[in-house]
Amino acid sequence: MNRHERARQIVSLLDLTSLSGTETGADIDALCARADGPGGRVAALCVHARHLPRVRGNLDGLGRSGIELATVANFPAGDLAPPAAVVEIREAVHLGATEVDLVFPHAAFLQGREDAVREFLVQCRQACPVRLKVILESGVLAGPESIRAAARLALDCGADFLKTSTGKAAVHATPEAARVMLETIAERGGEAGFKASGGLRTMADALPYLELAEEILGPGWIGPRTFRFGASGLLDAVLAEAAGRA
């Protein structure tokens, strides 16, 4: 696959994201306008839940069906508070979410409270009838064994995707963490998906994650149902490649 083809592939795998918390209606409209263009159509738009109805209205008005509506829960801190997270998830689904990116309670996990984290994940899974992407915050978990154990726990509790990062921690996505997560997905038959998120701004940032997925799970495994990039700044760089300008 040449760089132009790679660029178009990345666009199709992109969760175009705006989670600053200060977005205006005009900001959301502008985000939606970028979701489909000459470089292709993104996989999802990821915004805070309160903006989901506006996103849906924009996409419907522009005839852009097939783009997922994603939001976040337990974000960004990853608290161990099942009732609050369950309420967030149910409200998000009510507002139109087709995907929920849930922050794993990483601090509690590192404190050895695995049973409580398991119960948290089970309750959140039960409350979520749509695609559930669990954000491990791999930069906080740090060591490969912690990342692997957290990934296995999330998958055991029904996660549809494993996601690296919120983008709010000091360390974002890394190829080292991605390898561990992809290997864990492969161990479980490759049924779950993987999302690289945090600090991805250029084609050079993104390509190692595609190469890892191809190495571990095969090129045919990669698609919007199994692989995503979470980013806001990545789109412009990739569109330049897709248009042959870079």
Side-chain angles (χ1 to χ4, degrees):
M1 193 178 291
N2 63 36
R3 285 184 67 83
H4 176 77
E5 293 167 333
R6 276 295 201 197
R8 293 187 67 88
Q9 180 188 33
I10 291 170
V11 172
S12 75
L13 302 173
L14 186 62
D15 286 6
L16 186 57
T17 302
S18 187
L19 294 169
S20 70
T22 61
E23 293 87 357
T24 65
D27 294 331
I28 297 301
D29 294 345
L31 186 76
C32 293
R34 302 176 66 213
D36 190 7
R41 178 174 292 185
V42 302
L45 287 163
C46 186
V47 298
H48 286 291
R50 63 183 178 274
H51 297 303
L52 288 169
R54 191 177 189 104
V55 172
R56 171 57 70 201
N58 267 282
L59 295 181
D60 288 348
L62 295 168
R64 289 166 174 162
S65 61
I67 297 175
E68 302 286 355
L69 272 68
T71 192
V72 290
N74 205 35
F75 183 92
D79 296 328
L80 185 64
V86 164
V87 168
E88 279 190 281
I89 290 168
R90 288 176 175 161
E91 179 65 13
V93 173
H94 174 73
L95 290 171
T98 61
E99 300 183 346
V100 175
D101 290 28
L102 173 75
V103 183
F104 182 84
H106 43 80
F109 182 77
L110 290 172
Q111 292 163 4
R113 302 172 64 191
E114 183 173 329
D115 288 344
V117 172
R118 183 185 299 275
E119 181 58 25
F120 171 92
L121 293 172
V122 167
Q123 289 188 39
C124 289
R125 174 73 276 182
Q126 290 172 344
C128 187
V130 298
R131 183 174 288 131
L132 183 65
K133 292 138 81 183
V134 176
I135 309 171
L136 297 184
E137 202 69 284
S138 55
V140 175
L141 293 173
E145 291 313 309
S146 291
I147 295 169
R148 194 180 308 277
R152 287 172 173 163
L153 179 57
L155 293 175
D156 286 346
C157 294
D160 297 308
F161 261 71
L162 299 178
K163 177 178 170 181
T164 56
S165 321
T166 61
K168 306 294 186 181
V171 178
H172 305 316
T174 65
E176 294 76 16
R179 176 176 288 280
V180 174
M181 294 164 69
L182 286 161
E183 287 173 349
T184 307
I185 290 166
E187 285 175 7
R188 302 301 173 88
E191 296 298 319
F194 168 78
K195 179 174 173 179
S197 181
L200 305 176
R201 297 182 179 86
T202 67
M203 281 277 290
D205 293 333
L207 287 173
Y209 297 95
L210 288 172
E211 291 164 358
L212 277 170
E214 289 176 346
E215 173 194 336
I216 294 166
L217 286 148
W221 179 81
I222 297 172
R225 292 184 63 83
T226 52
F227 190 104
R228 300 285 181 85
F229 290 106
S232 53
L234 181 59
L235 181 61
D236 288 337
V238 172
L239 286 177
E241 291 275 357
R245 298 195 302 270

